[in-house]
Amino acid sequence: MKPTPLRIAMLSLHSSPFGELGTRDTGGMSVYVRELAGELGRLGHRVDVFTRRPVPHAPRVQPMGPNVRLVHLDGGEGVHDGKLGLYPGLSRFLASLESFRGGEGGRYDLVHSHYWLSGCLGAGAAGGWGVPHVVMFHTWGAAKNRASCGENEPALRLDAERELARTCDRVVAPTARERDELLRTGVAPPDRVTVIPCGVDLERFRPLDRAESRRCLGLERGGPILLYVGRFVPVKGADRLLEALAHLAPRPDLRLVLVGGDGLASPTARALEERARALGLAGSIGFRGRVDQEEMPSYYAAADLLVVPSHYESFGLATLEALACGTPVASTRVGAAQDLLDPAINGVLLDPEPAALARGLDAALGRGLSGAWPRAGVRASVAAYGWPRVAEAVLAMYRDVLSGAGAEDRASKATSGAHAAGG
């Protein structure tokens, strides 16, 4: 007998899956929510993705695909001081969510929250509805703080994450290392943490002709290309990548193409450009700004090597996307890199200090140019990471939670959950 389709309330409060990728609060999490919701919908489950209304005239409901809707919640209009500015309005978001559910939303079987702010909202919703609450943090505040990049997360976030990990029905961790972090710090019971990796669209991210990709992107002149993909915030390590390039022996034909940031006119991009000039690298660096996801396969194909110099990643979708395109990766030991990279097949792990980073990059580039990592083998290394498989794993976890979480246990969490959502 075919299982009954589920009704899922998916919360992505601060970041819309329709947002412009690469902007301040729109990145890998938005891709994850969009792709997971879409796959669950294609499997016949009904998913409502709740996010804050970005502008007053935005429609209440937008279709996202078969069985999937994007629902805008009122309460965050006019908030311009970042994600943390949404926290005082959680009670208003909860009221807006409840209003929708009582009107046209109907009953939900469980709540799946993404990021700690959504988790606070989800705790109140799930507690009030008497349904299980699943949380995926996407980044863990305490781990970011240990990366020591000058962007310390506030105590409010750290406390909220610990409470959510302790009280929710299940935490989804994208890597075994994040699971071990949760268990080592004692904030989550061992039986309530499930490791499910992120996924990649294997149809969109696929090998393309390198020469043609370079021609289309205006990169056909010159030699080897290193690619950086991500924002220019300190935790992503773009500054130490420039320092590493300055340690390399002069190589006029080598270029670094940087994709992402907050726009070419942003303070972070300007600061990075100034640093490149100070290091004498201006002629070897190309800033491309934000790039639509549809165009990213061409950038991966054009590159000889994706470089991930981050201090911290929860998973690292760019690594997965590059490998799916057949492009090897050189990464610091962050996120899923230690699971994905094998020096015999698809790339290398780098030591983080600029001089060591430079030596690792030089060796990796030499191996890549020598043909040590054939593109077909690089792509094959991530064949198991397609979104359909990720969705099946998430669905199995949902079924496990629904079969094992008792109503009495959930009811005991309702008071603390409502308090969390009350701001």
Side-chain angles (χ1 to χ4, degrees), residues 154-372:
L156 173 63
R157 172 181 177 174
L158 304 185
D159 292 343
E161 286 180 336
R162 285 193 293 267
E163 179 67 9
L164 285 165
R166 185 182 67 83
T167 59
C168 73
D169 293 279
R170 191 68 56 95
V171 176
V172 179
T175 66
R177 273 159 296 286
E178 184 168 308
R179 176 200 60 199
D180 294 345
E181 166 85 12
L182 293 168
L183 300 183
R184 183 171 55 250
T185 54
V187 296
D191 61 340
R192 293 189 184 178
V193 183
T194 299
V195 177
I196 302 176
C198 298
V200 64
D201 184 339
L202 292 169
E203 293 184 6
R204 169 175 290 167
F205 294 98
R206 66 191 190 283
L208 302 174
D209 182 78
R210 178 158 293 158
E212 177 63 14
S213 295
R214 290 186 177 186
R215 187 192 66 78
C216 291
L217 297 174
L219 298 171
E220 68 270 30
R221 297 174 60 185
I225 293 176
L226 303 177
L227 178 67
Y228 168 93
V229 176
R231 297 181 62 206
F232 298 153
V233 293
V235 75
K236 296 295 186 180
D239 53 343
R240 70 177 176 187
L241 175 55
L242 296 185
E243 300 282 348
L245 292 182
H247 279 83
L248 290 175
R251 187 169 183 171
D253 64 335
L254 179 64
R255 287 174 293 171
L256 170 65
V257 176
L258 297 103
V259 170
D262 293 316
L264 295 178
S266 70
T268 53
R270 289 199 299 268
L272 212 56
E273 286 184 288
E274 291 173 6
R275 185 59 185 150
R277 283 194 293 270
L279 291 168
L281 299 171
S284 303
I285 308 293
F287 289 84
R288 291 299 177 106
R290 289 194 298 270
V291 170
D292 289 339
Q293 198 176 29
E294 291 75 12
E295 199 176 359
M296 281 306 304
S298 294
Y299 277 93
Y300 290 125
D304 294 285
L305 193 69
L306 173 74
V307 186
V308 181
S310 298
H311 297 264
Y312 169 78
E313 297 279 350
S314 178
F315 186 85
L317 279 181
T319 296
L320 200 51
E321 292 170 353
L323 296 175
C325 291
T327 299
V329 177
S331 173
T332 49
R333 291 171 171 82
V334 293
Q338 294 174 82
D339 301 321
L340 295 171
L341 299 184
D342 182 336
I345 299 173
N346 59 8
V348 296
L349 296 171
L350 302 173
D351 291 325
E353 294 307 313
L357 194 65
R359 290 192 296 270
L361 277 178
D362 194 39
L365 189 57
R367 291 190 66 182
L369 293 175
S370 73

Side-chain angles (χ1 to χ4, degrees), residues 14 24-25 82-84 115-117 137 139-162 231 233-235 312:
H14 78 278
R24 179 177 178 182
D25 292 326
K83 297 185 286 286
L84 198 61
Y115 198 66
W116 72 275
L117 279 168
F137 291 106
T139 60
W140 182 247
K144 284 188 70 177
N145 284 355
R146 277 196 299 278
S148 301
C149 299
E151 292 184 304
N152 285 339
E153 296 296 324
L156 173 63
R157 172 181 177 174
L158 304 185
D159 292 343
E161 286 180 336
R162 285 193 293 267
R231 297 181 62 206
V233 293
V235 75
Y312 169 78

Side-chain angles (χ1 to χ4, degrees), residues 21-75:
L21 292 179
T23 53
R24 179 177 178 182
D25 292 326
T26 307
M29 190 187 90
S30 297
V31 174
Y32 185 98
V33 171
R34 184 186 67 220
E35 297 292 342
L36 175 60
E39 289 295 337
L40 292 172
R42 281 186 279 276
L43 290 171
H45 305 280
R46 300 191 65 84
V47 185
D48 285 338
V49 180
F50 294 92
T51 190
R52 66 162 170 163
R53 192 187 295 272
V55 291
H57 62 268
R60 176 69 155 170
V61 179
Q62 290 178 255
M64 285 181 59
N67 300 314
V68 184
R69 301 183 295 183
L70 181 70
V71 183
H72 287 127
L73 298 177
D74 298 311

